[in-house]
Amino acid sequence: MNAIDLLAERANKTCAVGHFDGANGAAVPSPCIAVCRMSPERGHCEGCFRTLDEIRLWSSADGPLRRRIWQQLLGRAGIALPALETPS
């Protein structure tokens, strides 16, 4: 299984338990899949697709910011989840 498949699986599990729902007060889990290598040409982790700034922010980020980071990294990875689509 490649990093995108692992990340999609993690995102689907996170979505299934409601962590992408803004009304859910539980902590939003990290997207880390333990493939921690920065892509020099793209500027993000090859495993979780977060930028260095997003990785640095994660531990102090609140739920809404964590959900935005998830949305951005999934966009970078080309993974779409209905629960993360931006409302019109």
Side-chain angles (χ1 to χ4, degrees):
M1 195 176 272
N2 67 33
I4 291 177
D5 292 337
L6 290 169
L7 184 59
E9 182 179 300
R10 183 152 178 84
N12 282 318
K13 287 178 182 177
T14 300
C15 185
V17 296
H19 288 295
F20 293 145
D21 180 353
N24 185 334
V28 179
S30 170
C32 181
I33 59 166
V35 177
C36 305
R37 282 186 308 266
M38 293 307 289
S39 169
E41 65 277 353
R42 295 189 186 144
H44 63 260
C45 175
E46 293 177 1
C48 70
F49 285 79
R50 287 182 290 176
T51 65
L52 277 176
D53 287 339
E54 291 167 342
I55 292 167
R56 281 186 203 111
L57 281 172
W58 189 264
S59 64
S60 62
D62 62 7
L65 178 54
R66 286 182 175 196
R67 283 187 282 280
R68 281 194 301 278
I69 291 170
W70 262 104
Q71 185 174 19
Q72 292 167 346
L73 70 90
L74 289 174
R76 279 183 215 113
I79 300 168
L81 292 176
L84 292 179
E85 291 177 0
T86 307
S88 309

